[in-house]
Amino acid sequence: MARTPADKMSFLEHLGELRMRIVRSLIALLIGLLITFPFSKRIVSFLGQSVTRTGNKLVFLTPTEAFWVQMKVALIAGLFLAAPAILWQVWRFVAPGLYEHEKKYAAPFVIVGSLLFVGGGAFALGVVVPYAIPFLLSFGGPDLQPMISIGSHVDFVLKFTLAFGLIFELPVAITLAARLGLVTPRALARNRKYAVLGAFVLAAILTPTPDAFNQALMAGPLIILYEVGIVCARLFAARARPVTVPGETAA
């Protein structure tokens, strides 16, 4: 099945489509923010448990800090809540570049992408942060009393939560790139050693603790996700795209 000239969009049409998808994604994010804001205080309390469990207290240094922390937490929580709608807009943006038989993957893309994004955030909150905070606070010693502001702590936690949410989208990104012809499963497998090295370099940069255990804790999922991405790319790239010769019509 070949595309017709009517299926092709001009550059300005692409820009208009991109603008519309961004606006709709922002609307979805705003709706998520409105839903999660009433629960932001509870979420902040939950995020602070990694510090309070060590016997320390969180403080706020300016009159507005606590309020803006709750707004920031509600925004990120709203982003996770709006992930299916945002991924749907991403799919709708790339869909014109796909063939009809490829568009049936819309639901798996949105569902799997949303689950991976939420799973990455949950992994950060449940595995990385609980190990990192006590380790970092242990450097204080008997002569140094930690006085951690709620703003700096929440920024620290949300940074890892959002980063892991995006990192866990790796299989979806690889699969989509393979379907668009940007990468091939063979090239991904051939460059596996560089991917492993990059996973450990990224883990060394992002992991707040210098010990090998926590770095492996981050690099391990990255390597697994890369391998899952290769498998998915092979499955979805198994059916070759139809090729048409200029001057001929597709069958």
Side-chain angles (χ1 to χ4, degrees):
M1 178 180 176
R3 295 186 183 89
T4 64
D7 295 325
K8 298 180 179 179
M9 300 173 64
S10 68
F11 177 72
L12 291 179
E13 288 175 331
H14 275 295
L15 289 180
E17 180 76 8
L18 177 61
R19 176 181 174 275
M20 180 179 67
R21 299 304 168 190
I22 291 176
V23 169
R24 291 183 178 180
S25 297
L26 291 176
I27 292 174
L29 178 59
L30 178 61
I31 295 173
L33 170 64
L34 294 176
I35 294 174
T36 57
F37 183 74
F39 306 97
S40 59
K41 197 169 184 178
R42 296 181 183 179
I43 300 174
V44 170
S45 178
F46 169 76
L47 296 179
Q49 288 180 1
S50 55
V51 171
T52 56
R53 285 174 180 172
T54 63
N56 295 288
K57 290 185 178 181
L58 292 167
V59 300
F60 59 95
L61 306 178
T62 64
T64 59
E65 184 175 5
F67 170 77
W68 285 115
V69 164
Q70 291 186 31
M71 286 292 295
K72 188 180 300 183
V73 166
L75 180 64
I76 301 300
L79 176 62
F80 278 88
L81 188 64
I86 294 174
L87 288 173
W88 175 251
Q89 295 304 318
V90 173
W91 178 267
R92 293 294 297 170
F93 179 70
V94 302
L98 303 176
Y99 289 94
E100 288 299 324
H101 69 274
E102 296 172 326
K103 295 180 181 180
K104 65 182 180 181
Y105 300 118
F109 172 79
V110 173
I111 295 173
V112 174
S114 300
L115 291 176
L116 287 174
F117 188 62
V118 174
F123 182 82
L125 293 176
V127 179
V128 178
V129 173
Y131 280 101
I133 296 297
F135 179 84
L136 294 173
L137 293 181
S138 66
F139 283 93
D143 299 326
L144 295 176
Q145 177 65 36
M147 189 174 67
I148 306 170
S149 73
I150 184 64
S152 60
H153 173 70
V154 168
D155 284 347
F156 177 84
V157 174
L158 292 183
K159 181 192 303 181
F160 282 95
T161 304
L162 191 58
F164 270 89
L166 295 175
I167 287 172
F168 270 54
E169 295 290 338
L170 185 60
V172 174
I174 290 176
T175 304
L176 190 59
R179 289 306 291 180
L180 294 175
L182 302 178
V183 295
T184 63
R186 180 176 297 179
L188 293 170
R190 187 171 60 247
N191 294 295
R192 180 181 286 111
K193 57 185 178 181
Y194 300 110
V196 173
L197 176 62
F200 277 96
V201 170
L202 185 62
I205 295 172
L206 294 180
T207 305
T209 60
D211 59 288
F213 175 74
N214 278 309
Q215 291 180 12
L217 206 60
M218 177 180 285
L222 283 175
I223 297 171
I224 294 174
L225 290 169
Y226 185 81
E227 295 296 333
V228 171
I230 294 177
V231 173
C232 292
R234 284 173 176 166
L235 291 175
F236 288 99
R239 192 185 309 180
R241 283 169 167 262
V243 178
T244 57
V245 178
E248 297 183 0
T249 58

